[in-house]
Amino acid sequence: MPTIKNALVNAKNELKEISSTADLDARVLLQHCLEKDLAWVMSRADESLNQKHDECFNEYVHRRQRGEPVAYITGRKEFWSLTLAVNEKVLIPRPETEHLVERALVHLPVNERRQVVDLGTGSGAVGLAIAKERPLCEIIATDISPGALAVAAANARSLEVQNIQFAASDWFDALTGRTFDLIVCNPPYVAENDPCFQKGDLAHEPVHALRAGPDGLDALSVITALAGKHLRHNGWLVLEHGATQAEQVEQLLGKAGFEKISCHRDYAGFDRITEGCTNTQ
Ligand code: GLN
């Protein structure tokens, strides 16, 4: 059996064709096989793997070689301060979406009750992070996909988050007549002919969570047009969008009557979040 060090070197070589993070992928997959943290694995680099762990690691590396995202192989992904269960029914939460959470929290004072909707929650990442940070807020997290709602609800249970409820809904369809203090959403916003669908993690993720018409603005247009009806006085709509869509999203918000519109960059420096407020006078 190979040592931990050799197994990692071999895996890295096998993965470097398909992944720009081959080293990290190999370490995360091995840690998952061994059910140990990085410090444990690194401090035993010269120890041999047993047969069971060697077979498990080989299987994971082969799945990764065929393009499966690391998060779907391990079944989990870190987001905000949470470890979320994920599977192929949900988009893998991205680090840039943590900035969406940050912007939503700016408009949700600590120790005050507010009602919040997370539209298209997927794994529950955004809604759960807000619910954890603002225990007095009530969050409704919606998704059109029953498979996604099952993942999100399971995450709420395992993270023991009480102040969140889930509803099957095509954007606002199941929220007729209801109003909220804040609506947050990471919608699909990738243009349908974008070549990114052919490679990398995106090729394995649910297409309805990513693809949004010829220019990627289909969902953003619907949401900005309808959100005003579901927001209270001084309510906020906080949206994630593609790095080149800020101007168009700003226009959509302006057309829908939002005020105090502003755009915020993600940690990589891309215009990523645009938000607006209702009736500020
Ligand atoms: N940020 C994602 C990507 O391009 C897209 C997520 C989305 O459409 N909401 O990888």
Side-chain angles (χ1 to χ4, degrees), residues 207-224:
V207 80
H208 63 265
L210 290 160
R211 187 184 285 179
D215 52 7
L217 290 169
D218 280 11
L220 285 157
S221 305
V222 172
I223 293 160
T224 48

Side-chain angles (χ1 to χ4, degrees), residues 91 94 96 186-190 202 209-210 240:
L91 193 78
R94 313 285 205 261
E96 58 266 32
N186 173 19
Y189 53 70
V190 184
L202 266 67
L210 290 160
E240 180 173 326

Side-chain angles (χ1 to χ4, degrees), residues 44-279:
R44 288 164 177 80
D46 294 321
E47 288 181 18
S48 295
L49 291 177
N50 67 29
Q51 188 171 349
K52 183 179 127 216
H53 290 145
D54 185 52
E55 282 170 11
C56 166
F57 187 47
N58 283 332
E59 188 213 313
Y60 288 174
V61 171
H62 286 137
R63 283 168 64 183
R64 182 73 189 117
Q65 256 185 321
R66 289 196 296 272
E68 197 173 338
V70 172
Y72 289 159
I73 300 172
T74 62
R76 54 185 189 223
K77 180 76 183 174
E78 305 294 324
F79 179 83
W80 199 252
S81 58
L82 314 171
T83 301
L84 297 166
V86 294
N87 65 24
E88 70 292 340
K89 303 280 184 202
V90 300
L91 193 78
I92 300 164
R94 313 285 205 261
E96 58 266 32
T97 302
E98 294 186 359
H99 205 69
L100 183 70
V101 174
E102 277 183 5
R103 287 310 310 168
L105 293 177
V106 166
H107 306 299
L108 297 170
V110 184
N111 296 332
E112 286 191 31
R113 288 180 194 281
R114 292 280 193 275
Q115 290 188 308
V116 176
V117 177
D118 172 21
L119 286 180
T121 195
S123 63
V126 171
L128 288 165
I130 294 173
K132 273 273 188 195
E133 295 296 326
R134 295 289 184 269
L136 294 183
C137 289
E138 288 166 24
I139 322 294
I140 297 194
T142 70
D143 209 286
I144 195 170
S145 153
L149 286 172
V151 173
N155 277 324
R157 276 194 301 276
S158 64
L159 295 165
E160 297 179 358
V161 179
Q162 312 285 349
N163 54 328
I164 191 164
Q165 285 175 11
F166 297 95
S169 186
D170 185 359
W171 303 131
F172 293 101
D173 277 5
L175 304 174
T176 311
R178 300 187 63 179
T179 57
F180 303 91
D181 299 294
L182 184 138
I183 297 168
V184 63
C185 180
N186 173 19
Y189 53 70
V190 184
E192 61 197 9
N193 59 358
D194 193 308
C196 69
F197 289 116
Q198 274 114 55
K199 58 177 170 50
D201 287 5
L202 266 67
H204 293 257
E205 291 180 289
V207 80
H208 63 265
L210 290 160
R211 187 184 285 179
D215 52 7
L217 290 169
D218 280 11
L220 285 157
S221 305
V222 172
I223 293 160
T224 48
L226 298 176
K229 269 205 289 194
H230 296 276
L231 281 168
R232 297 174 185 154
H233 185 72
N234 280 333
W236 285 90
L237 174 62
V238 187
L239 296 168
E240 180 173 326
H241 51 73
T244 60
Q245 293 170 332
E247 219 178 294
Q248 289 131 306
V249 176
E250 196 178 317
Q251 280 167 11
L252 288 171
L253 283 168
K255 207 168 78 184
F258 283 89
E259 298 174 25
K260 291 192 183 171
I261 299 168
S262 63
C263 177
H264 302 267
R265 295 206 163 142
D266 63 20
Y267 304 124
F270 294 114
D271 289 337
R272 180 68 62 191
I273 315 293
T274 297
E275 62 190 32
C277 180
T278 54
N279 336 311

